Short mmCIF file of all heavy atoms in Angstrom, two decimals:
data_model
loop_
_atom_site.label_atom_id
_atom_site.label_comp_id
_atom_site.label_asym_id
_atom_site.label_seq_id
_atom_site.Cartn_x
_atom_site.Cartn_y
_atom_site.Cartn_z
N THR A 1155 119.59 94.32 97.74
CA THR A 1155 119.65 93.96 96.32
C THR A 1155 120.95 93.23 96.01
O THR A 1155 120.96 92.27 95.23
CB THR A 1155 119.51 95.21 95.45
OG1 THR A 1155 118.22 95.80 95.68
CG2 THR A 1155 119.64 94.88 93.97
N LEU A 1156 122.04 93.67 96.62
CA LEU A 1156 123.33 93.00 96.40
C LEU A 1156 123.26 91.55 96.86
O LEU A 1156 123.73 90.64 96.16
CB LEU A 1156 124.43 93.75 97.13
CG LEU A 1156 125.84 93.14 97.06
CD1 LEU A 1156 126.30 92.96 95.62
CD2 LEU A 1156 126.83 94.00 97.84
N ILE A 1157 122.68 91.31 98.02
CA ILE A 1157 122.55 89.94 98.52
C ILE A 1157 121.73 89.09 97.55
O ILE A 1157 122.09 87.95 97.21
CB ILE A 1157 121.92 89.93 99.92
CG1 ILE A 1157 122.87 90.54 100.94
CG2 ILE A 1157 121.52 88.51 100.34
CD1 ILE A 1157 122.24 90.76 102.30
N LEU A 1158 120.61 89.63 97.08
CA LEU A 1158 119.76 88.89 96.14
C LEU A 1158 120.49 88.62 94.83
O LEU A 1158 120.44 87.50 94.30
CB LEU A 1158 118.47 89.66 95.88
CG LEU A 1158 117.53 89.79 97.08
CD1 LEU A 1158 116.42 90.79 96.78
CD2 LEU A 1158 116.93 88.43 97.46
N ASP A 1159 121.17 89.63 94.31
CA ASP A 1159 121.88 89.46 93.04
C ASP A 1159 122.99 88.41 93.14
O ASP A 1159 123.17 87.60 92.23
CB ASP A 1159 122.50 90.79 92.60
CG ASP A 1159 121.47 91.79 92.10
OD1 ASP A 1159 120.30 91.39 91.87
OD2 ASP A 1159 121.82 92.97 91.94
N LEU A 1160 123.72 88.44 94.24
CA LEU A 1160 124.81 87.47 94.40
C LEU A 1160 124.29 86.04 94.43
O LEU A 1160 125.00 85.11 94.00
CB LEU A 1160 125.58 87.76 95.69
CG LEU A 1160 126.46 89.01 95.69
CD1 LEU A 1160 126.96 89.30 97.09
CD2 LEU A 1160 127.62 88.86 94.72
N ASN A 1161 123.08 85.88 94.90
CA ASN A 1161 122.50 84.54 95.02
C ASN A 1161 121.51 84.22 93.90
O ASN A 1161 120.77 83.25 94.00
CB ASN A 1161 121.81 84.40 96.38
CG ASN A 1161 122.81 84.34 97.52
OD1 ASN A 1161 123.40 83.30 97.79
ND2 ASN A 1161 123.02 85.47 98.19
N ARG A 1162 121.53 85.06 92.85
CA ARG A 1162 120.67 84.87 91.68
C ARG A 1162 119.21 84.71 92.08
O ARG A 1162 118.51 83.81 91.63
CB ARG A 1162 121.16 83.70 90.82
CG ARG A 1162 122.52 83.92 90.18
CD ARG A 1162 122.82 82.87 89.15
NE ARG A 1162 121.84 82.91 88.06
CZ ARG A 1162 121.77 81.99 87.09
NH1 ARG A 1162 122.61 80.97 87.10
NH2 ARG A 1162 120.86 82.08 86.15
N GLN A 1163 118.78 85.64 92.93
CA GLN A 1163 117.39 85.73 93.34
C GLN A 1163 116.77 86.96 92.68
O GLN A 1163 117.44 87.96 92.45
CB GLN A 1163 117.29 85.86 94.86
CG GLN A 1163 117.89 84.71 95.62
CD GLN A 1163 117.16 83.40 95.39
OE1 GLN A 1163 115.95 83.33 95.52
NE2 GLN A 1163 117.91 82.36 95.05
N TRP A 1164 115.48 86.88 92.39
CA TRP A 1164 114.81 88.02 91.78
C TRP A 1164 114.75 89.19 92.74
O TRP A 1164 114.53 89.01 93.94
CB TRP A 1164 113.40 87.63 91.33
CG TRP A 1164 113.39 86.61 90.25
CD1 TRP A 1164 113.01 85.31 90.35
CD2 TRP A 1164 113.78 86.81 88.88
NE1 TRP A 1164 113.14 84.68 89.14
CE2 TRP A 1164 113.61 85.57 88.22
CE3 TRP A 1164 114.26 87.91 88.16
CZ2 TRP A 1164 113.89 85.40 86.86
CZ3 TRP A 1164 114.55 87.74 86.81
CH2 TRP A 1164 114.36 86.50 86.17
N ARG A 1165 114.93 90.39 92.21
CA ARG A 1165 114.86 91.61 93.00
C ARG A 1165 113.41 92.04 93.23
O ARG A 1165 112.48 91.50 92.65
CB ARG A 1165 115.56 92.76 92.28
CG ARG A 1165 117.03 92.62 92.04
CD ARG A 1165 117.52 93.83 91.24
NE ARG A 1165 118.95 93.78 90.96
CZ ARG A 1165 119.57 94.71 90.25
NH1 ARG A 1165 118.89 95.74 89.76
NH2 ARG A 1165 120.87 94.61 90.03
N GLY A 1166 113.26 93.08 94.03
CA GLY A 1166 111.98 93.74 94.19
C GLY A 1166 112.21 95.21 94.47
O GLY A 1166 113.35 95.66 94.62
N ARG A 1167 111.12 95.96 94.54
CA ARG A 1167 111.20 97.37 94.84
C ARG A 1167 110.18 97.67 95.92
O ARG A 1167 109.07 97.15 95.90
CB ARG A 1167 110.91 98.21 93.58
CG ARG A 1167 111.09 99.71 93.76
CD ARG A 1167 111.05 100.41 92.42
NE ARG A 1167 109.87 100.05 91.65
CZ ARG A 1167 109.84 99.97 90.33
NH1 ARG A 1167 110.94 100.21 89.63
NH2 ARG A 1167 108.73 99.65 89.70
N GLY A 1168 110.56 98.53 96.88
CA GLY A 1168 109.64 98.84 97.97
C GLY A 1168 109.37 97.59 98.80
O GLY A 1168 110.29 96.85 99.17
N LYS A 1169 108.09 97.34 99.05
CA LYS A 1169 107.73 96.17 99.86
C LYS A 1169 108.15 94.87 99.20
O LYS A 1169 108.43 93.86 99.88
CB LYS A 1169 106.23 96.16 100.12
CG LYS A 1169 105.37 95.98 98.87
CD LYS A 1169 103.89 96.08 99.19
CE LYS A 1169 103.04 95.89 97.94
NZ LYS A 1169 101.59 96.06 98.23
N TRP A 1170 108.25 94.89 97.86
CA TRP A 1170 108.63 93.66 97.16
C TRP A 1170 110.10 93.31 97.38
O TRP A 1170 110.48 92.15 97.25
CB TRP A 1170 108.33 93.80 95.67
CG TRP A 1170 106.86 93.65 95.39
CD1 TRP A 1170 105.97 94.62 95.13
CD2 TRP A 1170 106.14 92.41 95.40
NE1 TRP A 1170 104.71 94.08 94.96
CE2 TRP A 1170 104.79 92.73 95.12
CE3 TRP A 1170 106.49 91.08 95.60
CZ2 TRP A 1170 103.81 91.76 95.05
CZ3 TRP A 1170 105.50 90.11 95.52
CH2 TRP A 1170 104.18 90.45 95.25
N LEU A 1171 110.92 94.29 97.70
CA LEU A 1171 112.32 93.99 98.02
C LEU A 1171 112.40 93.18 99.31
O LEU A 1171 113.09 92.16 99.38
CB LEU A 1171 113.13 95.27 98.14
CG LEU A 1171 114.59 95.09 98.59
CD1 LEU A 1171 115.35 94.23 97.60
CD2 LEU A 1171 115.26 96.45 98.75
N LEU A 1172 111.69 93.63 100.34
CA LEU A 1172 111.71 92.89 101.60
C LEU A 1172 111.09 91.51 101.41
O LEU A 1172 111.58 90.52 101.97
CB LEU A 1172 110.96 93.67 102.68
CG LEU A 1172 111.00 93.05 104.08
CD1 LEU A 1172 112.43 92.98 104.59
CD2 LEU A 1172 110.12 93.84 105.05
N ARG A 1173 110.03 91.41 100.62
CA ARG A 1173 109.40 90.11 100.38
C ARG A 1173 110.35 89.17 99.65
O ARG A 1173 110.41 87.97 99.95
CB ARG A 1173 108.11 90.29 99.58
CG ARG A 1173 107.00 90.96 100.37
CD ARG A 1173 105.77 91.20 99.52
NE ARG A 1173 104.71 91.85 100.27
CZ ARG A 1173 103.52 92.17 99.78
NH1 ARG A 1173 103.24 91.89 98.51
NH2 ARG A 1173 102.61 92.76 100.54
N ALA A 1174 111.09 89.71 98.67
CA ALA A 1174 112.05 88.88 97.94
C ALA A 1174 113.15 88.37 98.88
O ALA A 1174 113.53 87.19 98.83
CB ALA A 1174 112.66 89.67 96.79
N LEU A 1175 113.65 89.26 99.73
CA LEU A 1175 114.69 88.84 100.67
C LEU A 1175 114.12 87.85 101.68
O LEU A 1175 114.79 86.87 102.05
CB LEU A 1175 115.26 90.06 101.39
CG LEU A 1175 116.46 89.81 102.31
CD1 LEU A 1175 117.63 89.20 101.54
CD2 LEU A 1175 116.89 91.10 103.00
N ARG A 1176 112.90 88.07 102.12
CA ARG A 1176 112.28 87.15 103.09
C ARG A 1176 112.07 85.77 102.49
O ARG A 1176 112.24 84.75 103.16
CB ARG A 1176 110.97 87.73 103.60
CG ARG A 1176 110.26 86.83 104.62
CD ARG A 1176 109.17 87.58 105.36
NE ARG A 1176 109.73 88.50 106.33
CZ ARG A 1176 109.42 89.79 106.43
NH1 ARG A 1176 108.54 90.33 105.59
NH2 ARG A 1176 109.97 90.55 107.35
N GLN A 1177 111.70 85.72 101.21
CA GLN A 1177 111.53 84.43 100.56
C GLN A 1177 112.85 83.68 100.47
O GLN A 1177 112.90 82.46 100.64
CB GLN A 1177 110.93 84.62 99.17
CG GLN A 1177 110.65 83.31 98.44
CD GLN A 1177 109.97 83.53 97.11
OE1 GLN A 1177 109.88 84.65 96.61
NE2 GLN A 1177 109.48 82.46 96.50
N PHE A 1178 113.93 84.43 100.21
CA PHE A 1178 115.25 83.80 100.11
C PHE A 1178 115.84 83.46 101.47
O PHE A 1178 116.36 82.36 101.67
CB PHE A 1178 116.19 84.73 99.34
CG PHE A 1178 117.63 84.29 99.39
CD1 PHE A 1178 118.02 83.09 98.84
CD2 PHE A 1178 118.59 85.10 100.00
CE1 PHE A 1178 119.36 82.69 98.89
CE2 PHE A 1178 119.92 84.71 100.05
CZ PHE A 1178 120.30 83.49 99.49
N ASN A 1179 115.77 84.42 102.40
CA ASN A 1179 116.41 84.24 103.70
C ASN A 1179 115.63 85.01 104.75
O ASN A 1179 115.87 86.20 104.95
CB ASN A 1179 117.87 84.72 103.65
CG ASN A 1179 118.66 84.37 104.88
OD1 ASN A 1179 118.16 84.43 105.99
ND2 ASN A 1179 119.93 84.02 104.70
N PRO A 1180 114.66 84.38 105.41
CA PRO A 1180 113.82 85.10 106.38
C PRO A 1180 114.62 85.78 107.48
O PRO A 1180 114.27 86.89 107.91
CB PRO A 1180 112.92 84.00 106.94
CG PRO A 1180 112.89 82.95 105.88
CD PRO A 1180 114.24 82.98 105.24
N ALA A 1181 115.69 85.16 107.95
CA ALA A 1181 116.47 85.77 109.03
C ALA A 1181 117.12 87.07 108.56
O ALA A 1181 117.15 88.06 109.30
CB ALA A 1181 117.54 84.78 109.52
N GLN A 1182 117.64 87.07 107.34
CA GLN A 1182 118.24 88.29 106.81
C GLN A 1182 117.19 89.39 106.63
O GLN A 1182 117.45 90.57 106.88
CB GLN A 1182 118.92 88.01 105.46
CG GLN A 1182 120.23 87.24 105.55
CD GLN A 1182 121.39 88.15 105.92
OE1 GLN A 1182 121.34 88.86 106.93
NE2 GLN A 1182 122.44 88.14 105.11
N ALA A 1183 116.01 89.01 106.19
CA ALA A 1183 114.94 89.99 106.01
C ALA A 1183 114.55 90.61 107.35
O ALA A 1183 114.37 91.84 107.46
CB ALA A 1183 113.74 89.34 105.34
N ASN A 1184 114.41 89.79 108.36
CA ASN A 1184 114.07 90.31 109.70
C ASN A 1184 115.18 91.21 110.23
O ASN A 1184 114.91 92.25 110.86
CB ASN A 1184 113.81 89.15 110.65
CG ASN A 1184 112.56 88.38 110.30
OD1 ASN A 1184 111.66 88.90 109.63
ND2 ASN A 1184 112.48 87.13 110.74
N ARG A 1185 116.41 90.80 109.97
CA ARG A 1185 117.55 91.62 110.43
C ARG A 1185 117.54 92.98 109.73
O ARG A 1185 117.75 94.01 110.37
CB ARG A 1185 118.85 90.88 110.13
CG ARG A 1185 120.09 91.63 110.58
CD ARG A 1185 121.36 90.92 110.11
NE ARG A 1185 122.54 91.73 110.41
CZ ARG A 1185 123.75 91.52 109.89
NH1 ARG A 1185 123.92 90.52 109.03
NH2 ARG A 1185 124.76 92.30 110.21
N LEU A 1186 117.28 92.99 108.42
CA LEU A 1186 117.26 94.24 107.68
C LEU A 1186 116.12 95.14 108.16
O LEU A 1186 116.31 96.35 108.35
CB LEU A 1186 117.12 93.98 106.19
CG LEU A 1186 116.97 95.22 105.31
CD1 LEU A 1186 118.18 96.13 105.46
CD2 LEU A 1186 116.76 94.83 103.85
N ALA A 1187 114.94 94.58 108.34
CA ALA A 1187 113.80 95.38 108.78
C ALA A 1187 114.08 96.03 110.14
O ALA A 1187 113.79 97.22 110.35
CB ALA A 1187 112.54 94.51 108.84
N ALA A 1188 114.65 95.26 111.05
CA ALA A 1188 114.98 95.81 112.37
C ALA A 1188 116.07 96.87 112.28
O ALA A 1188 116.01 97.91 112.95
CB ALA A 1188 115.42 94.68 113.30
N ALA A 1189 117.06 96.63 111.41
CA ALA A 1189 118.15 97.59 111.27
C ALA A 1189 117.66 98.91 110.67
O ALA A 1189 118.08 99.99 111.10
CB ALA A 1189 119.25 96.99 110.39
N LEU A 1190 116.78 98.82 109.69
CA LEU A 1190 116.27 100.05 109.08
C LEU A 1190 115.39 100.82 110.05
O LEU A 1190 115.44 102.05 110.11
CB LEU A 1190 115.49 99.70 107.81
CG LEU A 1190 114.99 100.88 106.98
CD1 LEU A 1190 116.13 101.81 106.60
CD2 LEU A 1190 114.25 100.39 105.75
N HIS A 1191 114.61 100.10 110.83
CA HIS A 1191 113.79 100.76 111.85
C HIS A 1191 114.68 101.49 112.86
O HIS A 1191 114.42 102.65 113.21
CB HIS A 1191 112.91 99.74 112.57
CG HIS A 1191 112.12 100.33 113.69
ND1 HIS A 1191 111.00 101.12 113.48
CD2 HIS A 1191 112.29 100.27 115.05
CE1 HIS A 1191 110.53 101.53 114.65
NE2 HIS A 1191 111.27 101.00 115.60
N ALA A 1192 115.74 100.83 113.31
CA ALA A 1192 116.66 101.47 114.26
C ALA A 1192 117.34 102.69 113.62
O ALA A 1192 117.51 103.73 114.27
CB ALA A 1192 117.71 100.47 114.73
N ALA A 1193 117.71 102.57 112.35
CA ALA A 1193 118.37 103.69 111.68
C ALA A 1193 117.45 104.90 111.59
O ALA A 1193 117.90 106.04 111.73
CB ALA A 1193 118.82 103.27 110.28
N ASN A 1194 116.17 104.64 111.40
CA ASN A 1194 115.23 105.75 111.30
C ASN A 1194 114.92 106.39 112.64
O ASN A 1194 114.26 107.43 112.70
CB ASN A 1194 113.94 105.26 110.63
CG ASN A 1194 114.13 105.03 109.14
OD1 ASN A 1194 114.97 105.66 108.51
ND2 ASN A 1194 113.36 104.11 108.58
N THR A 1195 115.40 105.77 113.72
CA THR A 1195 115.30 106.41 115.04
C THR A 1195 116.65 106.97 115.49
O THR A 1195 116.79 107.40 116.64
CB THR A 1195 114.79 105.39 116.09
OG1 THR A 1195 115.73 104.32 116.21
CG2 THR A 1195 113.42 104.85 115.70
N GLY A 1196 117.64 106.91 114.58
CA GLY A 1196 118.93 107.52 114.87
C GLY A 1196 120.08 106.58 115.13
O GLY A 1196 121.23 107.02 115.23
N ASP A 1197 119.82 105.28 115.25
CA ASP A 1197 120.87 104.31 115.53
C ASP A 1197 121.20 103.56 114.24
O ASP A 1197 120.47 102.65 113.84
CB ASP A 1197 120.42 103.34 116.62
CG ASP A 1197 121.49 102.33 116.99
OD1 ASP A 1197 122.59 102.38 116.39
OD2 ASP A 1197 121.22 101.49 117.87
N THR A 1198 122.29 103.91 113.59
CA THR A 1198 122.62 103.33 112.28
C THR A 1198 123.57 102.15 112.36
O THR A 1198 123.93 101.57 111.32
CB THR A 1198 123.25 104.41 111.39
OG1 THR A 1198 124.47 104.88 112.00
CG2 THR A 1198 122.29 105.58 111.18
#
């Protein structure tokens, strides 16, 4: 949300947050999805 706000992009909630980030910056969205998946397996 901070990244979106700084770039004056619309926010989202749940799946819409990832979609909003993907629309703005697909690489950042992919990075976040992978990072959250790793965090949920114990690697933060």
